[in-house]
Amino acid sequence: MSSNIPRSHPRYESLMMRERLASGFHKGFVHETGLIAHGRGEAFDYLLGEETLPVADRASKAAAAMLLLAEHPVISVNGNVVALVAEEVVDLANRIPAKIEVNLFHRTSDRVHRLVSRMEEAGGKGVLGRNADARIDGLGHDRGWCEKKGIFESDVVLVPLEDGDRCQALRDMGKTVITIDLNPLSRTAKTADVTLVDNVVRSVPRISFWIDKLKAKSECDLLKLRDEWDNSSGLDMVLKNICSRFQKD
Ligand code: ATP
Ligand code: MG
């Protein structure tokens, strides 16, 4: 898909994201409902000023500490995430290091294969998802499938743009769940251990930044960062920030 959007357009970044999603849809990566989910995200991004809030940056730091402390960290990706940040996810996975698993709400073998191939093209090694051989406890339907050596056995899982039910089911399995979700009111945002209320295009590189900064820290320092994070106060701060934008002028 070619784009005629000039760089000088004030909404260039946002329009390019739409182009990447539309192109991902035509290539069979993105589910049609993923386009709608992106629209909900865009609306919240507008309310956040399309920038990383200080509280989202602190969440990225806590998330990086948790990923470094993990024994089996996994990054779960879906169609929208692959369409927007395939290379950035591979970069983050290499730095931690963590496994990558394609895990879909609307699972079809064809879409899983396309997405695994796209992640491999982006440089991902051993990308999981094709051999779903385990189930997330308590989730019926195809969205419960995952790989035993991936999400099923993970202790810390990064699930950007996740469904609220599945986020809860992963927590019920005892996993530490980190999510990236522009909607601070979503069930996912409220259920996760750490919620980065930010756009995946900004937040994935930001976690990588913190991984590099924290890599040399002691386990004790990382545990402190992990334990200091309070997700519900983080979400309150985001909501206060959004409300204050309405009160200006
Ligand atoms: P639930 O309450 O079950 O968590 P939801 O509102 O999160 O529902 P879903 O369809 O499960 O809706 O997931 C889409 C979520 O992803 C939305 O909350 C939307 O704000 C968020 N989202 C969409 N695009 C992006 C993006 N580029 N970066 C970060 N978050 C995004
Ligand atoms: Mg959600």
Side-chain angles (χ1 to χ4, degrees):
M1 174 172 285
S2 65
S3 156
N4 298 319
I5 300 164
R7 272 209 161 266
S8 56
H9 193 291
R11 304 217 42 77
Y12 179 79
E13 297 294 340
S14 175
L15 294 174
M16 284 310 291
M17 267 188 262
R18 286 188 183 180
E19 292 277 313
R20 299 218 292 276
L21 263 299
S23 162
F25 172 71
H26 290 297
K27 287 178 183 157
F29 299 158
V30 174
H31 191 264
E32 60 221 34
T33 60
L35 300 176
I36 301 166
H38 182 76
R40 185 184 288 165
E42 266 190 355
F44 278 100
D45 210 5
Y46 226 110
L47 296 174
L48 296 173
E50 294 173 319
E51 61 182 15
T52 300
L53 299 181
V55 62
D57 192 39
R58 287 202 296 283
S60 313
K61 189 175 179 182
M66 290 178 191
L67 288 162
L68 287 170
L69 284 165
E71 279 182 35
H72 301 291
V74 172
I75 305 174
S76 171
V77 295
N78 63 16
N80 285 38
V81 174
V82 174
L84 291 173
V85 282
E87 276 77 14
E88 291 84 348
V89 166
V90 171
D91 182 62
L92 173 60
N94 288 341
R95 283 169 205 266
I96 298 170
K99 290 178 180 164
I100 298 170
E101 179 168 341
V102 171
N103 196 269
L104 305 179
F105 189 85
H106 300 281
R107 171 180 280 275
T108 63
S109 160
D110 176 62
R111 214 152 69 82
V112 171
H113 277 77
R114 281 173 200 260
L115 288 166
V116 170
S117 301
R118 173 66 188 100
M119 290 309 291
E120 286 171 349
E121 188 191 294
K125 300 269 180 293
V127 178
L128 302 170
R130 280 191 277 237
N131 306 308
D133 53 358
R135 294 195 65 93
I136 299 169
D137 299 341
L139 278 188
H141 200 246
D142 283 353
R143 70 199 165 114
W145 286 110
C146 63
E147 281 213 27
K148 186 162 188 301
K149 61 182 178 190
I151 289 175
F152 189 81
E153 285 181 347
S154 66
D155 53 347
V156 177
V157 59
L158 170 60
V159 283
L161 281 61
E162 183 55 283
D163 159 62
D165 260 15
R166 201 156 58 172
C167 184
Q168 182 66 57
L170 290 167
R171 284 219 54 186
D172 291 345
M173 285 174 83
K175 300 181 190 310
T176 297
V177 179
I178 301 163
T179 194
I180 302 169
D181 191 334
L182 279 160
N183 177 4
L185 298 167
S186 77
R187 290 176 306 146
T188 307
K190 291 180 181 167
T191 308
D193 293 277
V194 184
T195 306
L196 283 71
V197 183
D198 202 0
N199 199 311
V200 278
V201 302
R202 297 188 297 268
S203 56
V204 172
R206 202 60 199 161
I207 305 173
S208 288
F209 167 86
W210 282 115
I211 292 285
D212 286 356
K213 285 261 177 215
L214 299 179
K215 207 151 202 175
K217 294 269 181 203
S218 67
E219 188 177 342
C220 181
D221 286 345
L222 294 176
L223 286 168
K224 193 159 172 272
L225 281 171
R226 183 192 74 181
D227 296 341
E228 276 170 356
W229 177 253
D230 177 342
N231 209 46
S232 73
S233 334
L235 293 176
D236 283 348
M237 275 181 222
V238 175
L239 288 171
K240 282 202 185 91
N241 186 289
I242 291 176
C243 292
S244 72
R245 291 171 61 86
F246 283 108
Q247 282 154 6
K248 280 194 184 134
D249 323 317

